[in-house]
Amino acid sequence: MERTLVIIKPGTLQRGLAGEIISRFEKRGLKLVAMKMKQLDQKILDVHYAHLKEKPFFPWLCDGMMAAPVILCCWEGFEAVKVVREMAGATNARKAVPGTIRGDYSMSAQENIVHTSDSLENAAIELDRFFSPEDYCDYPSPLNSYLYAPDEK
Ligand code: UDP
Ligand code: MG
């Protein structure tokens, strides 16, 4: 099973939408294997958003990501990286399709509810950035035979 990182952004927490967003991933059948609340700082955002450092909106993006704590979640599932990314929808929420998280809860290219890892390789790097091995919880998945076919693992 793949693992991917979701960051519930500060604005989502402030708007009281964190539970609804977590619920969407739960209802899809993804398994929550690690979760914590954290106040991000500039140092970690310089690394996490290094690909955007030269963009004019970078300072605003960082301000938004430090405006309140975030909720860091690791979701596990078959092909979870792509599934979670598609559930989030387009980066610019005004272009995100209704039914996606951004398409249902946001009007902004910046304040777009969640971060999701964009590849399996980056998911591993990002999960290591925010979680330690002891943060992961190993617990039974008794419904897996109802969620998946035998070859979906
Ligand atoms: N962002 C923004 N303006 C843009 C593009 C991105 O404010 O034109 C912000 C937005 O919050 C986005 C984050 O920067 O989620 C990271 O950008 P990325 O291109 O990695 O998009 P994502 O992977 O989050 O869809
Ligand atoms: Mg990205």
Side-chain angles (χ1 to χ4, degrees):
M1 291 281 180
E2 290 181 6
R3 288 180 169 183
T4 191
L5 175 72
V6 170
I7 305 178
I8 297 181
K9 295 189 175 188
T12 313
L13 186 67
Q14 292 285 16
R15 289 173 59 192
L17 293 172
E20 270 186 61
I21 302 309
I22 291 166
S23 180
R24 286 202 170 207
F25 296 117
E26 284 185 313
K27 286 177 189 159
R28 186 73 190 261
L30 289 148
K31 181 178 181 180
L32 187 58
V33 294
M35 180 162 78
K36 66 179 164 190
M37 211 164 176
K38 187 178 172 70
Q39 175 63 51
L40 300 186
D41 60 21
Q42 191 64 55
K43 196 167 149 235
I44 205 159
L45 288 168
D46 283 345
V47 178
H48 185 69
Y49 284 138
H51 62 295
L52 299 171
K53 248 191 136 182
E54 305 310 320
K55 299 282 187 190
F57 59 79
F58 183 71
W60 299 346
L61 168 61
C62 293
D63 287 349
M65 291 298 289
M66 294 188 290
V70 298
I71 301 174
L72 302 155
C73 305
C74 176
W75 293 98
E76 185 181 85
F78 184 58
E79 297 180 352
V81 174
K82 188 163 181 281
V83 167
V84 165
R85 184 97 184 144
E86 287 182 353
M87 287 176 74
T91 303
N92 180 347
R94 290 186 303 281
K95 295 186 178 160
V97 175
T100 63
I101 291 168
R102 288 164 171 171
D104 284 352
Y105 294 103
S106 171
M107 285 290 286
S108 173
Q110 176 181 298
E111 294 302 318
N112 57 5
I113 312 294
V114 282
H115 165 83
T116 60
S117 303
D118 63 9
S119 67
L120 190 54
E121 190 191 0
N122 282 338
I125 293 167
E126 292 176 352
L127 287 167
D128 279 352
R129 181 172 300 141
F130 293 104
F131 290 111
S132 309
E134 62 268 23
D135 293 328
Y136 293 95
C137 297
D138 187 18
Y139 61 101
S141 304
L143 298 184
N144 262 10
S145 63
Y146 299 97
L147 291 169
Y148 292 114
D151 62 344
E152 294 172 328
K153 52 177 87 165

